[in-house]
Amino acid sequence: MSAGGLIYIAGNPDLYPLEYYDPDAGTYQGAIPSVLAQFAQESGYDLQYYQPGATDRRAELAENKQVDAVSGCTDREAVSGAEQVTLFQAEIDGQTVTYSLIFTDSAPEDFVQALRSYLSGVTQPEWTGAMLQSVSQSPQSVSLLPVSIGLGLTVCLLLAALALSVRRFRRQLRQSERFRSIDPETGLDTMEYLQRRFPAFVHDKNRVLYHVVYFYLDLGHVERLGGHMAATAMRRHASAVLRARLGPGSAAATASNAGIAAVILAGTTQKASEWALSVLEQIRAFTDEGGNIYPLDAAAGLYSLQPGDHDLNLALFYAEQCARLACREGEGLRLCSQDVCQAFEEERQLLADVSEGFRQEQFRIYLQFYVNASNFEIVGGEMLARWQHNRKGLLLPGQFVPLMEREGLVSRLDYYCLEKVCAFLEMLGRNGVQNFFISCNFARSTITSASFVEKCKEIISRHCFSRELLVFEVTESEKSRDQAQMDAHIREMRAFGVRVLFDDFGVGFSSFHDLQESDMDGLKLDKYLVENISTPQGRSILNAMVQAGHELDLTILAEGVEQAAQAQVLQQLGCDVLQGFYFSRPMPAEQSAQKIIKQFRTSTGHSETDARG
């Protein structure tokens, strides 16, 4: 058969949006018919769907050799044929499904070669563009209603005028709503608008072709180098890249100050991954108006929608957590596998239990003792939080504190623990213990919040104890825009009588110059320094820090002491206070209280009656 001949095709009636039977049109519609129609126009072949209908007759027509090709075939179907060519691929239940067109023995060889050559040149954007036409209109059969013959021309004109007015009003209303649904800073949709739109273009028949991508932008370094304006410019740059790279049938929205979310029509996870990585590469290539280049810590998380995924918020949660995890581990892209999603789901359920945990006072305080370096007597303790979860048992801070920090809940935990510590110190005072101090750790977000000083003073003032027994530990960190706020709050709390010390000192960003600028009472040497105390270099560094700290009139604490040899060297170097497993492990507050009070009675010779009195 020469070019321009008649070719019969058996279509798939139920493969929306790739191919489906439209009873109104009396034939097949969708991405595959659209692409085949374009091929017919360019090649001169006359392609006709043979006996189109709602019943799938492809196998029968192929076996009887009544057609030249069978379309919309998956690799799970058994349709006889001589050759086949891949049309499209999609990810379903974690497996790649290939949709093909199968040529029967009746197909002319020149037609087979011409179509195969044409399909090899059809790009992904062309396929998604063809699918968009189907995605935007859900196929449905609309029956015609009888028309009343007795209607007059005047009534028809009035109805037409009314309909026109209604259409104009609705158009103006939609334009007004659309304007409010755009984030003015980035030009992307708001998350609320994307959530409303999601069910309209993602539904049961095309869900497995869609993927949710979350781009996480850690703008802290950009803001430190170029200020707030540079960070804003970076967000706008990332948004512009995403708008330019969105294909047909896809959408994007501003998720947060550090995140952009996209719902993309891409077929397979592999294609979605390639798209996400290429967008990420463009986002990272940012220069401001002055040509300055700002290194950006950014990553993407990818979640491929499954047939049962109807909750966009849950998919976004998985994608965002993957993006943040990828950024922390220095990766560009992290896929949401079943195991990863299960871990995130457990975290999500844990978050849901936080409020109940506070209500039932499931959060407990533990103490790890400090000892006097000269005689190893207990002189204080560090407050450590534990969560006695009603289903999961005892949870350590690493299992819930980072999660609470990410979700903005850690301040509640910080103030809760401060209340418990103040009550504990008051109890010790009632039992005659007047020289035992407790240190508390605070998240940086808590210390720099505007209400930090006010809330701390309110909590402390409710309890009666010597305020110098309460110590705030502040983790040293790189200078940032909230440093001035933190320094001001530290000065106010020291003026209120609370002591403050640098935690994890010696391996981070701060220096002795920073100590001169900040008001501190002491510093806590990081356990990494203690671990290297056996080397000449490690001992020299520790010795220099201890001497310099004492010259600045600072109390020197050392943590991570696990061996007798380490304790002996730290004694020789002149450390004031030691902490570590060599002396004690963290223990519940009730058990700690018994040991503290017992030591006090032993050292003073007080009886139990005297102590209570």
Side-chain angles (χ1 to χ4, degrees), residues 10-14 21 28 50-61:
N12 190 331
D14 191 26
Y21 177 68
Y28 294 104
Y50 188 75
Q51 297 181 353
T55 303
D56 187 357
R57 299 182 58 212
R58 291 174 299 154
E60 171 194 348
L61 295 175

Side-chain angles (χ1 to χ4, degrees), residues 81-127:
E83 300 181 56
Q84 70 179 33
V85 61
T86 298
L87 298 173
F88 197 79
Q89 289 181 321
E91 198 85 12
I92 300 178
D93 294 330
Q95 297 181 348
T96 300
V97 177
T98 301
Y99 298 95
S100 305
L101 183 141
I102 297 177
F103 300 102
T104 67
D105 294 336
S106 304
E109 184 61 28
D110 56 353
F111 162 70
V112 173
Q113 296 302 325
L115 182 56
R116 185 183 298 277
S117 175
Y118 178 81
L119 291 175
S120 67
V122 178
T123 64
Q124 180 69 24
E126 289 173 321
W127 272 114

Side-chain angles (χ1 to χ4, degrees), residues 279-292:
V279 170
L280 188 63
E281 183 179 0
Q282 286 185 264
I283 289 176
R284 286 172 170 171
F286 168 71
T287 57
D288 64 10
E289 295 180 354
N292 299 311

Side-chain angles (χ1 to χ4, degrees), residues 115-396:
L115 182 56
R116 185 183 298 277
S117 175
Y118 178 81
L119 291 175
S120 67
V122 178
T123 64
Q124 180 69 24
E126 289 173 321
W127 272 114
T128 54
M131 278 190 288
L132 177 62
Q133 298 177 0
S134 298
V135 171
S136 61
Q137 329 177 1
S138 182
Q140 56 181 337
S141 176
V142 181
S143 59
L144 296 176
L145 297 176
V147 180
S148 300
I149 301 188
L151 292 177
L153 179 60
T154 303
V155 175
C156 291
L157 291 174
L158 287 174
L159 290 176
L162 178 61
L164 181 60
S165 298
V166 170
R167 283 197 299 270
R168 288 176 177 171
F169 173 75
R170 288 178 176 173
R171 184 168 60 251
Q172 293 173 352
L173 182 62
R174 284 195 300 269
Q175 291 174 345
S176 175
E177 292 177 347
R178 185 71 185 100
F179 178 77
R180 292 195 301 270
S181 68
I182 296 176
D183 179 6
E185 184 175 289
T186 65
L188 294 174
D189 292 339
T190 62
M191 185 54 63
E192 293 77 11
Y193 183 71
L194 178 60
Q195 290 169 340
R196 290 200 306 269
R197 284 187 58 205
F198 181 73
F201 67 92
V202 178
H203 43 77
D204 291 342
K205 293 185 177 182
N206 65 16
R207 197 174 310 277
V208 295
L209 304 177
Y210 275 92
H211 310 265
V212 176
V213 184
Y214 190 99
F215 294 95
Y216 173 70
L217 314 175
D218 187 355
L219 299 173
H221 189 60
V222 175
E223 189 162 358
R224 284 190 290 272
L225 291 176
H228 179 69
M229 292 183 63
T232 301
M234 172 64 80
R235 292 182 68 228
R236 290 174 176 168
H237 161 73
S239 303
V241 169
L242 198 54
R243 286 199 308 271
R245 293 296 304 277
L246 278 180
S250 302
T254 301
S256 67
N257 288 335
I260 302 173
V263 180
I264 64 168
L265 178 66
T268 65
T269 300
Q270 177 64 30
K271 291 177 180 177
S273 300
E274 293 171 356
W275 178 85
L277 286 172
S278 65
V279 170
L280 188 63
E281 183 179 0
Q282 286 185 264
I283 289 176
R284 286 172 170 171
F286 168 71
T287 57
D288 64 10
E289 295 180 354
N292 299 311
I293 300 176
Y294 296 99
L296 173 66
D297 291 329
L302 172 63
Y303 179 80
S304 298
L305 293 178
Q306 301 301 312
D309 289 331
H310 298 277
D311 186 354
L312 176 60
N313 287 328
L314 184 57
L316 283 169
F317 173 78
Y318 290 150
E320 179 181 358
Q321 299 309 312
C322 275
R324 290 177 177 270
L325 180 60
C327 192
R328 290 196 299 272
E329 298 187 359
E331 301 174 359
L333 174 68
R334 176 64 68 95
L335 303 182
C336 296
S337 65
Q338 184 175 357
D339 292 342
V340 171
C341 288
Q342 178 63 33
F344 290 152
E345 182 61 26
E346 291 177 1
E347 286 188 350
R348 196 170 72 96
Q349 293 175 3
L350 197 62
L351 273 176
D353 296 335
V354 167
S355 295
E356 185 68 12
F358 280 115
R359 191 182 69 81
Q360 296 185 3
E361 295 193 349
Q362 295 174 359
F363 293 96
R364 311 287 173 79
I365 64 169
Y366 277 52
L367 289 182
Q368 185 175 18
F369 291 134
Y370 294 110
V371 301
N372 187 318
S374 62
N375 56 19
F376 296 163
E377 287 187 359
I378 296 172
V379 292
E382 178 182 8
M383 188 283 300
L384 303 170
R386 301 288 188 267
W387 186 355
Q388 188 64 51
H389 196 276
N390 56 7
R391 295 191 318 276
K392 299 179 179 294
L394 187 66
L395 301 180
L396 299 178

Side-chain angles (χ1 to χ4, degrees), residues 466-582:
S466 178
R467 292 172 185 169
E468 67 177 7
L469 298 177
L470 181 61
V471 180
F472 285 2
E473 294 192 33
V474 178
T475 302
E476 54 170 338
S477 59
E478 191 173 359
K479 293 289 184 180
S480 62
R481 63 186 175 89
D482 57 12
Q483 184 67 39
Q485 178 88 315
M486 188 174 89
D487 290 342
H489 288 171
I490 289 174
R491 286 193 296 270
E492 289 190 64
M493 292 312 303
R494 292 187 75 238
F496 191 63
V498 174
R499 290 186 292 173
V500 181
L501 62 85
F502 259 142
D503 189 19
D504 299 332
F505 187 86
V507 295
F509 302 102
S510 67
S511 65
F512 287 104
H513 178 265
D514 296 325
L515 289 177
Q516 289 179 311
E517 290 185 342
S518 302
D519 292 324
M520 292 287 168
D521 297 281
L523 57 87
K524 191 175 185 180
L525 301 176
D526 188 86
K527 64 180 181 178
Y528 174 81
L529 299 173
V530 176
E531 290 172 355
N532 290 273
I533 201 172
S534 60
T535 66
Q537 298 89 340
R539 182 166 180 160
S540 297
I541 292 172
L542 268 176
N543 182 54
M545 288 188 171
V546 172
Q547 290 185 11
H550 282 161
E551 289 179 4
L552 293 172
D553 198 25
L554 299 174
T555 300
I556 309 299
L557 298 87
E559 62 179 339
V561 182
E562 299 184 358
Q563 301 170 8
Q566 294 172 336
Q568 183 178 4
V569 173
L570 289 168
Q571 273 185 324
Q572 296 171 354
L573 294 179
C575 278
D576 302 301
V577 179
L578 306 180
Q579 180 193 47
F581 289 168
Y582 178 69

